[in-house]
Amino acid sequence: MTVGTAVPDPRAARRWARLCVAAGVVLAAIVALVVSGYGGPRTAHTVSSWALLAAAAAAAGACVWRSRGFTGRGRWAWAVLGTGLLLWGAGQFSWLARSPVAGAPDGLSPLFGGPGVIGLVVLIPAGLLIMPSASQPLVNRLRSILDGLLIAASLALVAWVFVIDRHLEPGAHGAGFYGALMFPLTDIVLATMVAYMLPSQRRRHGCGADLAFLGTGLAAFAVADVGHVYLELLGRFDAAPVVNLATLTGYALIVMGALRPRDGESAPLDLPPGVRSGAVLAPYAAVLAALGSSVMFYAQTGHSHTFIAGTRSLLILLIVVRQLLTQLESRALTRTLESRVTERTGELNAREQRFHALIRHSSDVVTVIDADGMIRYQSESMRRVFGYPPEVFLGRRYTDLVDAEVAMRLAQAMRQVAARPFAHVTLEVVHTHRDGGKRPSEVIITNLVDDPHVAGFVLNTRDISDRKELQEQLMHEAYHDSLTQLANRALFRDRARSALRASGAVTVLHLDLDGFKRVNDSLGHLAGDQLLVQVADRVRGCVRDGDLVARFGADEFGVLLLGEDEAGAERVARRILEDLEAPISAGARQIHVRASIGLADAGQLPESDNPGDQAEQLMRNADLAMHHAKAAGGGVCSGYRPRMREGLVERLELESDLRAAVENGDLRLHYQPTVDLATSRVIGFEALVRWPHPVRGMINPLDFIPIAEATGLIVPLGRWVLHEACRQAVEWGAAGDGGPPKMSVNVSVRQFDRADLAEMVAAVLADTGMPADRLCLEMTESVLMTDTDANLEQLLRLKALGLTLAIDDFGTGYSSLAYLRRFPVDTLKIDRSFVERLGVIADDTALTDTIVRLGKSLGMATVAEGIEEFGQLAALREMGCGFAQGYYFSRPVPAAEAGLLFLEGATV
């Protein structure tokens, strides 16, 4: 393998041009010196001889330099050419040295004469044969040598007849003269070899200027050697220096060709067919000219010459050998062509078999219909896909074999692509299987009428039943609830939008189960799922087939009623509530479940051009009505009224304002004193948060505390209250003589849900310096009833800090004695509902007395809330209640007023 390693250099062309100019100048100077005869014949002879030796050395060096740009055979070829040129030049110089040459040693002819012949006859042809050329095999190169020999021998014979024989005297020249003819003949053979190589080399590689220069140089050698033979024939050697100029020119051309930069962008040489034919016939033309010359010589002289006869015999031998080579080449070419044909035929057969196999096992059914609508080809896959043998379709009209609707659509599609060659169209139709089943199919029709290999419309038909089923399944999953198989919110919204667009009577019911979370928490999610499935079945059984039942998520359902007014929708809602009153089986248990239903009618919607917005608004209205029904106690139906939305908007505004108030520190704390009933002295306070709204004024805690609970704002709010209350208590303690007062702070259930409650309280105590034993955290009974294990752990961590725990509003919930003994509670706060009726209802007095006694028996302090009259105070003192709060003593007051009550040691 030969690889060119030369890297194109944009400056190389300029360097080569300067080199050519320099070589031309030197050559012109030598020509001028020799032709002018300056210094006499001896000087001209010496100059031309030494110039010839220098030029041969330069040509050899240039070829060796050229070889560095190649690897493999290319490098060896140029190196051998350089060696041959150097030896040939040295041999020429040694022969010229037989005449006196200034500075030349004697005895050169034996030393370089033989190697010079080897350089010309052996090495230079070998270099040309080694030269790589994938498009010119070795046999072809050998044939080029034979062609060169044919041309050279023919030219020698013609020259003999017309030139040599006329000047050659019998016996005047011996074997040396005939040997001298070998050099021009060799030059002609070499030039012919290069001429044969040049077109193929340039056509294949886009280059070959180096070979062109080499061939031209060898042609110049031939001219010089012919001149030397002619001079020797005449016996005149004084003109030898002039003849040597042709050899110098040849070497100069070889140097320029070897040093020329390689140009990979040269246009490939594309010879006209006439030139190629002429090159093939050139040897035969030369042979015919030689034979004609020999015949003319015989006609003129009446005899033949040994040279003519020998040359003619040589020509015949060369022609025979050439024909043998041609025959061998033809046979090799024939075998190659036969091998390629066999290989190509095998490939075509394999492709055809592969094509048939692919078509036979393809999921597509391929049908070719000609321009007249007749089926010309039907793939075997028709049997597997649709159950029909392909023979049934051949030669028949496709539109006669399918359903009328399918035939009409296919004919329309073919007309659509008929006007545009190679156009295609895709459509979906329903084909009938041989077993009678309907198969959704995708058909791609391509217009290949203008393709001579097809000449028809190609129908690629694919059974897409599985894809359709998958699409329907995915569509069903996207628009239905996986548990109940009811429609989901997205489908409900789309159906509501479509119904509103149709301008019909539309009513939406929003249903939410009451207490569903307790079912999940107590019986598990499996029981909850069973409950939801049966609720879905019952709701579905209460509506008509045209109505839509959907599950919105969790325990929320929706019903879309079409054509019902508000009264009819209320009847449906009551029917659902009545149906849900019957117990529902969940495993081995019977569960009673109630629901809250909100109802919204489309007639209450404002005018709008967007049914999508109206559908969303209608669903929101039903949701508002459902929450109103749930707030009313559940188990009822409530219709939407505009004021519900106003209340929601007000709640949202209040929530936003509360969030800003917590972030900006706009809340305030008021403090209600706790009085020791034994001494009537203020011993502590309960911190109560107040919100002075800049627009609405003082907002009732019952209005914003539930919002804080629902939104989670109670967590940062509770931390702020705790920190501010502790800070205030420490400040009062520092201003008085003793320690800080006892400070009570309420803690919500949401705060107990956080695992870091104890860490937060500890951080506040550390930050404010509040003694832990002066802090009391109050909680409702619900804390004891929910997630008892986790809350017990939370209370134990709080108790470990050293603070006091109290149960607020005791007696309003379910308080088991077991819980009171289990949880580390220090104080029971008697709810105001018991205190306000003391002395009025005997049972309430007895119950309050029981709570006080219970606290004493458990070692807990008791605090009565809501004392407003002296009679209530007297009754509590008689019962032995320890502490009290209420308007009778003081309302919750700001920090400044509360501080006076503590610092002045007020008695109330």
Side-chain angles (χ1 to χ4, degrees):
M1 179 178 181
T2 300
V3 179
T5 59
V7 178
D9 186 353
R11 296 170 297 180
R14 294 192 294 270
R15 290 198 300 266
W16 181 75
R18 290 194 294 268
L19 177 63
C20 292
V21 171
V25 171
V26 172
L27 181 61
I30 295 173
V31 169
L33 180 61
V34 172
V35 172
S36 65
Y38 179 80
R42 181 178 177 83
T43 300
H45 182 71
T46 300
V47 169
S48 65
S49 299
W50 282 106
L52 188 147
L53 182 60
C63 290
V64 173
W65 181 88
R66 184 68 168 185
S67 68
R68 296 172 56 196
F70 295 90
T71 61
R73 289 173 56 187
R75 172 171 292 184
W76 281 103
W78 282 101
V80 171
L81 283 175
T83 304
L85 289 172
L86 181 61
L87 292 178
W88 174 234
Q92 288 177 307
F93 181 79
S94 69
W95 290 319
L96 293 174
R98 290 180 299 178
S99 300
V101 176
D106 296 333
L108 286 177
S109 182
L111 182 61
F112 290 104
V117 174
I118 293 175
L120 179 65
V121 179
V122 178
L123 294 182
I124 295 178
L128 294 176
L129 292 175
I130 296 173
M131 191 78 66
S133 178
S135 61
Q136 192 181 33
L138 181 60
V139 175
N140 190 277
R141 297 195 185 188
L142 293 177
R143 193 177 62 182
S144 68
I145 296 176
L146 291 176
D147 289 346
L149 290 174
L150 285 171
I151 295 173
S154 299
L155 292 178
L157 194 150
V158 172
W160 183 277
V161 172
F162 291 101
V163 179
I164 298 176
D165 184 69
R166 297 180 181 181
H167 296 88
L168 185 64
E169 298 179 1
H173 297 279
F177 173 77
Y178 294 104
L181 291 176
M182 175 184 66
F183 300 118
L185 296 179
T186 302
D187 295 334
I188 294 173
V189 172
L190 295 177
T192 304
M193 291 178 63
V194 174
Y196 272 72
M197 290 174 60
L198 182 60
S200 59
Q201 186 80 2
R202 186 173 177 86
R203 182 171 59 251
R204 186 170 182 83
H205 302 288
C207 59
D210 46 5
L211 289 180
F213 278 97
L214 177 63
T216 307
L218 293 174
F221 287 175
V223 172
D225 288 339
V226 168
H228 280 296
V229 170
Y230 186 72
L231 291 177
E232 186 172 349
L233 180 65
L234 298 179
R236 295 180 56 188
F237 299 100
D238 54 340
V242 178
V243 175
N244 288 339
L245 294 177
T247 304
L248 288 174
T249 303
Y251 282 125
L253 291 171
I254 293 174
V255 169
M256 288 189 290
L259 297 181
R260 184 181 184 276
R262 298 181 63 189
D263 187 5
E265 298 181 356
S266 300
L269 184 62
D270 190 10
L271 297 175
V275 175
R276 296 181 184 177
S277 301
V280 174
L281 296 177
Y284 296 100
V287 171
L288 289 176
L291 294 177
S293 300
S294 65
V295 171
M296 186 181 66
F297 181 82
Y298 181 80
Q300 292 177 350
T301 62
H303 65 276
S304 182
H305 192 277
T306 304
F307 181 83
I308 295 176
T311 304
R312 190 166 53 229
S313 300
L314 178 62
L315 289 175
I316 295 173
L317 178 61
L318 291 175
I319 291 174
V320 171
V321 175
R322 189 183 189 279
Q323 289 301 114
L324 289 176
L325 288 178
T326 303
Q327 185 67 22
L328 292 175
E329 186 179 10
S330 298
R331 293 181 62 182
L333 180 60
T334 301
R335 286 194 299 270
T336 302
L337 291 177
E338 289 177 351
S339 175
R340 290 184 178 179
V341 169
T342 303
E343 181 181 354
R344 183 63 174 169
T345 303
E347 289 180 0
L348 292 176
N349 290 334
R351 290 182 181 179
E352 185 176 359
Q353 294 299 323
R354 184 165 56 251
F355 170 77
H356 285 297
L358 292 175
I359 292 297
R360 185 181 303 110
H361 298 286
S362 173
S363 59
D364 289 1
V365 177
V366 180
T367 307
V368 178
I369 303 176
D370 62 15
D372 297 329
M374 305 297 292
I375 298 176
R376 298 304 179 194
Y377 173 79
Q378 182 62 68
S379 66
E380 181 66 26
S381 53
M382 172 63 78
R383 187 191 308 274
R384 178 172 48 81
V385 177
F386 293 108
Y388 294 98
E391 298 80 12
V392 176
F393 292 83
L394 294 176
R396 302 178 63 182
R397 291 186 177 275
Y398 193 81
T399 53
D400 296 338
L401 301 173
V402 297
D403 296 340
E405 181 182 356
V406 176
M408 180 185 67
R409 295 188 61 194
L410 290 175
Q412 181 180 1
M414 284 191 283
R415 286 195 297 270
Q416 181 180 345
V417 300
R420 293 176 294 128
F422 306 103
H424 66 274
V425 65
T426 303
L427 68 156
E428 291 186 4
V429 298
V430 179
H431 281 304
T432 303
H433 195 274
R434 192 176 186 181
D435 60 10
K438 299 297 182 179
R439 301 293 177 89
S441 306
E442 180 184 73
V443 183
I444 302 175
I445 303 176
T446 306
N447 179 7
L448 296 182
V449 175
D450 293 341
D451 189 335
H453 301 289
V454 181
F457 296 93
V458 178
L459 277 63
N460 290 80
T461 306
R462 179 178 305 166
D463 183 359
I464 57 173
S465 302
D466 294 340
R467 189 174 76 187
K468 284 292 185 181
E469 291 178 2
L470 179 59
Q471 288 178 350
E472 293 175 359
Q473 179 182 353
L474 293 176
M475 185 69 68
H476 183 274
E477 292 177 356
Y479 286 100
H480 289 80
D481 175 56
S482 59
L483 177 63
T484 63
Q485 298 304 311
L486 296 177
N488 61 11
R489 184 183 293 272
L491 180 58
F492 190 91
R493 186 188 302 110
D494 290 344
R495 292 286 182 85
R497 184 187 301 116
S498 300
L500 290 171
R501 187 180 292 113
S503 301
V506 180
T507 306
V508 171
L509 304 182
H510 192 124
L511 181 149
D512 184 88
L513 299 181
D514 300 330
F516 177 73
K517 185 177 184 300
R518 289 196 300 272
V519 176
N520 270 342
D521 293 342
S522 59
L523 302 180
H525 289 281
L526 179 60
D529 291 345
Q530 294 175 351
L531 173 64
L532 292 174
V533 171
Q534 295 189 51
V535 169
D537 293 339
R538 292 192 181 187
V539 174
R540 193 158 36 197
C542 295
V543 300
R544 301 164 301 181
D545 292 338
D547 299 328
L548 179 66
V549 180
R551 182 189 176 203
F552 290 161
D555 59 339
E556 296 186 34
F557 296 85
V559 180
L560 182 66
L561 300 176
L562 305 179
E564 289 281 9
D565 56 10
E566 185 174 356
E570 288 181 358
R571 287 193 296 271
V572 174
R574 285 195 296 271
R575 186 161 60 246
I576 293 174
L577 293 176
E578 293 172 359
D579 204 40
L580 291 177
E581 288 181 358
I584 295 176
S585 298
R589 297 179 179 273
Q590 297 291 321
I591 301 176
H592 292 270
V593 64
R594 297 194 310 167
S596 301
I597 299 179
L599 183 152
D601 185 76
Q604 298 174 310
L605 295 174
E607 294 292 333
S608 175
D609 296 332
N610 191 335
D613 293 342
Q614 285 192 320
E616 288 285 351
Q617 184 63 54
L618 186 61
M619 294 172 65
R620 284 197 297 268
N621 292 347
D623 182 58
L624 285 174
M626 182 272 294
H627 284 288
H628 188 268
K630 190 173 286 291
V636 297
C637 171
S638 176
Y640 169 75
R641 297 295 179 265
R643 64 176 179 275
M644 296 179 182
R645 178 173 175 80
E646 295 173 1
L648 177 63
V649 173
E650 182 180 357
R651 178 184 173 89
L652 292 175
E653 292 177 351
L654 197 63
E655 177 186 335
S656 177
D657 293 344
L658 178 60
R659 191 178 300 276
V662 172
E663 294 176 354
N664 299 330
D666 295 337
L667 300 176
R668 298 290 181 266
L669 285 185
H670 285 193
Y671 300 91
Q672 188 171 26
T674 301
V675 178
D676 187 343
L677 293 182
T679 62
S680 298
R681 297 184 63 84
V682 175
I683 54 91
F685 295 91
E686 180 181 1
L688 300 172
V689 65
R690 294 294 183 264
W691 182 12
H693 195 279
V695 177
R696 305 186 186 195
M698 190 66 70
I699 297 180
N700 194 320
L702 296 178
D703 292 334
F704 70 84
I705 291 298
I707 295 178
E709 291 274 1
T711 60
L713 286 172
I714 195 66
V715 175
L717 175 60
R719 178 183 175 85
W720 176 82
V721 170
L722 180 63
H723 190 280
E724 179 64 18
C726 291
R727 184 200 62 78
Q728 187 63 67
V730 171
E731 181 181 324
W732 286 335
D737 296 335
K742 189 82 170 184
M743 185 64 68
S744 297
V745 178
N746 291 283
V747 181
S748 73
V749 177
R750 293 291 295 271
Q751 288 176 278
F752 266 89
D753 290 339
R754 297 180 63 89
D756 61 344
L757 176 61
E759 288 75 8
M760 185 271 289
V761 173
V764 169
L765 293 175
D767 186 47
T768 59
M770 178 74 169
D773 61 344
R774 307 305 295 165
L775 175 64
C776 177
L777 296 183
E778 299 183 4
M779 70 209 76
T780 61
E781 292 177 271
S782 59
V783 173
L784 307 182
M785 300 300 299
T786 59
D787 202 6
T788 55
D789 291 335
N791 286 343
L792 175 60
E793 182 182 355
Q794 190 84 280
L795 291 172
L796 291 175
R797 289 202 303 269
L798 290 171
K799 191 64 179 175
L801 297 176
L803 49 78
T804 303
L805 298 177
I807 297 179
D808 196 13
D809 300 333
F810 184 79
T812 58
Y814 174 76
S815 298
S816 170
L817 288 177
Y819 285 141
L820 291 177
R821 290 185 180 277
R822 184 181 180 189
F823 290 97
V825 178
D826 301 292
T827 303
L828 299 179
K829 297 192 71 174
I830 304 172
D831 186 68
R832 68 179 64 246
S833 62
F834 299 110
V835 175
E836 67 185 4
R837 289 178 289 181
L838 284 176
V840 179
I841 303 177
D843 290 343
D844 285 346
T845 302
L847 183 57
T848 304
D849 184 60
T850 302
I851 294 175
V852 173
R853 292 177 181 274
L854 177 63
K856 289 181 179 181
S857 65
L858 295 176
M860 299 179 184
T862 53
V863 179
E865 297 180 298
I867 297 176
E868 298 182 1
E869 299 176 357
F870 177 78
Q872 297 169 347
L873 174 62
L876 289 169
R877 279 178 173 170
E878 184 178 351
M879 295 176 189
C881 182
F883 306 94
Q885 288 179 318
Y887 288 176
Y888 180 79
F889 307 109
S890 173
R891 290 177 177 273
V893 295
E897 297 181 28
L900 293 176
L901 292 176
F902 172 71
L903 296 174
E904 294 177 0
T907 302
V908 292

